[in-house]
């Protein structure tokens, strides 16, 4: 009986793991001061995330990516982002820019609620993982000029 | 305060409503600033559209011309048996679709109108959505409006559906939480990863899209954008698409029809 109850709990829990819950974070002013994962990101991996097409960054932004033929100009260049913003400011702008400006075209890269008609294969998933957010923040912080 | 000023004041006040779900602040493109995506194409692609001997959409048009005069269904009648020469009878028809259909109480797009006539008049089964036949016949009919201004019917019964289409155009959707208007009203002319963002005027449908290597409908194009936003596309024939088509044609009113348009 105990085992049956345990199995039931596991079955009920299964859909929840399919829709991975986001890590909690605290907003202070216009920043998320602390790393989402608790660990610092890796700038080199962060650059790779930024230039990857599925990440969608370069659809709208350009930056110091001479090898990337296709870059957008709907949004400011990422050049100098690490000089214009603090780490915590960049983190909130990646996680949920709409919190600062509801009309922004910048997607919320770490958010799964309050969205409409999300395609089935993306449902319940953020655009980037917490690790990827930290890697991108670490990379952007290196863009000082 | 005039309604226009009141609207402007309401829009200006929007950013003050913190935390509310706000509509896009997109302003509609002034009529005299509208341009067809044709203008942004390479010289080669423009030449391809302009010359009927090189425009690949013309092959579909020729198939459509054949279908126009081929009897179909239990009636044994062809389109031509009732409508005569499409060059005169269909001139301007595509430019005023979607049009209001009193029976369903809704707007019908040109593909739906053709299929309705197939069922009611020819007693034939409707063509499948996005089938070669439906695209061909639609392209043939729509080409008879080439050079004509887009002329949405001045029909008050369409007004609520234009508003639904407008709301859909401005609604944020998908994992990327974008609206159509954020790109096509607010950022047209800019580069989306190297591609010029068009204003999204449906003046050339069905279009021959080089990426597709075939003719395709406006609904197919709308689905492409929804997939790009990582949104769940509606099924072909969904009312939402027809309302958006209606809004987009209203938005393109007065612009010149180009069917069959060529696009990269």
């Amino acid at each position: 009986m105990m085992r049956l109850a345990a199995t039931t709990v596991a079955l009920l829990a299964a859909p929840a793991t399919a829709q991975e819950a986001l890590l909690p974070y605290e907003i202070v002013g216009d920043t998320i001061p602390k790393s989402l994962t608790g660990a610092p990101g890796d700038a080199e991996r962060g650059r790779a995330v930024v230039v990857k097409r599925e990440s969608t960054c370069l659809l709208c932004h350009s930056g110091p990516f001479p090898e990337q033929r296709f870059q957008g100009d709907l949004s400011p260049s990422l050049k100098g982002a690490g000089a214009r913003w603090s780490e915590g400011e960049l983190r909130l702008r990646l996680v949920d820019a709409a919190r600062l400006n509801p009309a922004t075209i910048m997607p919320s890269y770490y958010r799964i609620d309050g969205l409409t008609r999300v395609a089935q294969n993306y449902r319940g998933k953020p655009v980037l993982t917490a690790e990827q957010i930290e890697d991108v923040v670490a990379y952007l912080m290196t863009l000082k000029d | 305060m005039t309604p226009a000023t009141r609207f402007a004041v309401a829009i200006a006040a929007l950013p003050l409503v913190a935390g509310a779900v706000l509509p896009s602040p997109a302003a509609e493109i002034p009529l005299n600033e509208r341009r067809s995506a044709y203008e942004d194409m390479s010289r080669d692609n423009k030449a391809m559209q302009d010359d009927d001997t090189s425009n690949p959409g013309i092959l579909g048009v020729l198939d459509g011309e054949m279908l126009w005069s081929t009897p179909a269904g239990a009636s044994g009648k062809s389109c031509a048996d009732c409508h005569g020469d499409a060059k005169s009878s269909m001139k301007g028809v595509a430019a005023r679709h979607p049009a209001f259909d009193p029976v369903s109480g809704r707007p019908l797009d040109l593909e739906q109108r053709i299929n309705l006539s197939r069922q009611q008049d020819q007693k034939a089964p409707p063509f499948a959505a996005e089938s070669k036949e439906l695209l061909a016949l639609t392209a043939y009919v729509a080409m008879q409006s080439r050079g004509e201004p887009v002329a949405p019917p001045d029909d008050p019964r369409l007004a609520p559906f234009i508003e639904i289409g407008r709301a859909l155009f401005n609604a944020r959707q998908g994992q990327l939480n974008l609206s159509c208007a954020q790109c096509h009203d607010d950022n047209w002319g800019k580069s989306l990863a190297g591609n010029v963002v068009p204003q999204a005027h449906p003046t050339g449908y069905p279009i021959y899209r080089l990426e597709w290597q075939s003719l395709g409908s406006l609904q197919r194009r709308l689905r492409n954008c929804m997939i790009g936003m990582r949104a769940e596309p509606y099924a072909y024939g969904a009312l939402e698409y027809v309302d958006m088509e209606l809004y987009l044609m209203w938005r393109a009113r007065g612009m010149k029809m180009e069917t069959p348009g060529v696009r990269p």
Side-chain angles (χ1 to χ4, degrees):
Chain A
M1 193 60 211
M2 279 292 282
R3 193 180 302 162
L4 182 62
T7 314
T8 312
V9 169
L11 283 175
L12 288 174
T17 51
Q19 180 172 322
E20 219 170 297
L22 301 185
L23 298 172
Y25 56 84
E26 193 193 350
I27 297 175
V28 179
D30 72 336
T31 74
I32 299 173
K34 291 195 190 124
S35 163
L36 299 177
T37 61
D42 178 305
E44 201 177 320
R45 281 203 310 258
R47 187 186 194 281
V49 170
V50 168
V51 301
K52 205 166 86 176
R53 195 170 166 85
E54 306 84 80
S55 305
T56 72
C57 309
L58 299 192
L59 284 174
C60 292
H61 294 283
S62 61
F65 316 108
E67 82 287 4
Q68 295 297 321
R69 200 170 145 212
F70 300 111
Q71 305 183 29
D73 68 359
L74 272 69
S75 307
S77 167
L78 300 178
K79 262 179 79 176
R84 292 196 297 274
W85 308 102
S86 72
E87 186 190 306
E89 286 169 338
L90 283 171
R91 189 176 287 112
L92 178 54
R93 279 153 183 81
L94 279 165
V95 164
D96 194 5
R99 185 178 283 270
L100 300 166
N101 170 15
T104 185
I105 196 168
M106 171 90 170
S108 299
Y109 283 86
Y110 196 67
R111 179 176 132 193
I112 54 176
D113 63 316
L115 303 173
T116 309
R117 282 196 82 79
V118 176
Q120 205 160 7
N121 45 334
Y122 293 107
R123 222 165 280 164
K125 296 175 193 158
V127 184
L128 298 178
T129 65
E131 289 75 15
Q132 286 175 320
I133 296 278
E134 290 309 321
D135 292 344
V136 172
V137 168
Y139 170 65
L140 293 178
M141 285 306 289
T142 68
L143 301 180
K144 296 296 188 193
D145 47 37
Chain B
M1 210 186 282
T2 67
T5 341
R6 206 177 313 137
F7 184 67
V9 170
I11 290 290
L14 281 178
L16 300 174
V17 192
V21 177
L22 297 174
S24 162
E28 265 160 23
I29 302 164
L31 295 186
N32 61 359
E33 285 176 31
R34 291 173 309 164
R35 50 194 271 124
S36 163
Y38 172 89
E39 307 292 340
D40 301 318
M41 295 206 298
S42 68
R43 199 154 39 144
D44 283 352
N45 286 352
K46 283 182 180 170
M48 194 188 292
Q49 172 170 320
D50 292 342
D51 177 2
D52 282 354
T53 62
S54 68
N55 183 331
I58 293 292
L59 293 173
V61 169
L62 293 175
D63 287 345
E65 185 173 21
M66 194 109 82
L67 286 168
W68 179 261
S69 51
T70 306
S75 72
K77 284 185 177 169
S78 70
C79 309
D81 285 334
C82 291
H83 296 286
D85 186 352
K87 284 182 178 57
S88 50
S89 67
M90 291 296 121
K91 187 174 170 169
V93 168
R96 42 178 197 268
H97 273 76
F100 191 78
D101 168 45
V103 176
S104 60
R106 286 197 39 86
L108 289 188
D109 65 19
L110 187 57
E111 284 90 340
Q112 289 176 316
R113 192 67 194 77
I114 287 171
N115 264 336
L116 190 66
S117 193
R118 262 183 79 78
Q119 292 170 272
Q120 287 185 348
D121 306 322
Q122 294 181 300
K123 315 289 180 206
F127 291 126
E130 219 57 23
S131 61
K132 205 169 168 249
E133 291 85 357
L134 185 55
L135 289 166
L137 200 47
T138 306
Y140 178 62
V141 170
M143 190 168 128
Q144 312 311 323
S145 296
R146 189 160 67 170
E148 296 286 310
V150 173
D154 185 13
D155 185 337
R157 294 171 300 178
L158 288 173
F161 301 99
I162 295 177
E163 288 314 309
I164 296 172
R166 186 204 307 270
L168 288 166
F169 191 78
N170 283 281
R172 310 281 288 255
Q173 54 182 330
Q175 190 199 37
L176 300 181
N177 204 27
L178 299 170
S179 73
C180 309
Q182 281 184 303
C183 275
H184 300 294
D185 277 347
D186 295 354
N187 284 292
W188 61 266
K190 292 188 182 163
S191 157
L192 188 72
N195 298 306
V196 179
V197 176
Q199 292 183 351
H201 298 299
T203 48
Y205 283 88
I207 57 167
Y208 189 96
R209 201 171 181 213
L210 299 172
E211 188 187 313
W212 295 335
Q213 291 286 298
S214 72
L215 278 177
S217 70
L218 177 52
Q219 293 197 8
R220 182 174 179 188
R221 188 65 193 81
L222 292 172
R223 289 169 66 89
N224 281 186
C225 264
M226 289 186 76
I227 289 165
M229 298 166 169
R230 302 185 179 176
E232 193 68 36
Y234 301 103
Y236 276 114
L239 307 181
E240 287 87 349
Y241 287 137
V242 181
D243 293 343
M244 271 197 272
E245 291 174 70
L246 177 68
Y247 170 66
L248 289 173
M249 286 295 270
W250 176 84
R251 188 171 165 269
R253 61 198 179 280
M255 295 177 74
K256 273 198 172 30
M257 294 283 292
E258 302 171 45
T259 309
V262 172
R263 294 293 182 269

